[in-house]
Amino acid sequence: MSSQSANFSLDTTLNCLKVGETALVNHVTPQFQGESGGVSDISRRLKELGFVQGEQVQILHKGYFGGEPLAVRVGQSTFALRNFEAALIGVTKISATAMGATKLGSI
């Protein structure tokens, strides 16, 4: 097993992370719904908010009823997202050992 596979787990979407988990954004899925653009507008808005490739995200809180809204930190900002919005954001979870190495490297 390589050290990289020990530090990173499988790709998933932001809505699948648990409270306290940290990940790196891989992509925002450009889905389209109907002629009005619907979901594509949401994908663009997510990118404008900072959900771009390589950005670190963390789930801070999930609502009690149905897990909505999600409080998500991206960079230095915190946002509330609905589950379907978070499902558009592809991420790679970061393990605790990788986070420690990242923090040590930034000192």
Side-chain angles (χ1 to χ4, degrees):
M1 180 182 259
S2 73
S3 62
Q4 184 161 348
S5 62
N7 291 338
F8 295 97
S9 66
L10 297 175
D11 292 340
T12 186
T13 55
L14 187 59
N15 64 314
C16 293
L17 296 181
K18 296 177 183 173
V19 173
E21 287 188 319
T22 303
L24 294 176
V25 175
N26 289 334
H27 65 279
V28 176
T29 303
Q31 293 185 353
F32 297 93
Q33 228 179 29
E35 295 177 15
S36 65
V39 177
S40 66
D41 291 340
I42 293 169
S43 297
R44 186 177 63 240
R45 183 180 68 88
L46 291 171
K47 290 177 185 176
E48 290 170 352
L49 290 175
F51 293 93
V52 295
Q53 186 174 8
E55 191 65 48
Q56 185 172 309
V57 294
Q58 181 181 23
I59 301 293
L60 301 176
H61 181 75
K62 287 188 176 188
Y64 294 112
F65 301 106
E68 283 190 324
L70 292 104
V72 180
R73 171 156 294 147
V74 57
Q76 298 298 315
S77 302
T78 303
F79 298 100
L81 298 178
R82 294 171 281 188
N83 281 326
F84 84 90
E85 293 169 321
L88 295 174
I89 303 168
V91 297
T92 300
K93 287 194 264 184
I94 303 174
S95 70
T97 56
M99 282 300 296
T102 303
K103 287 180 183 176
L104 288 176
S106 65
I107 294 176

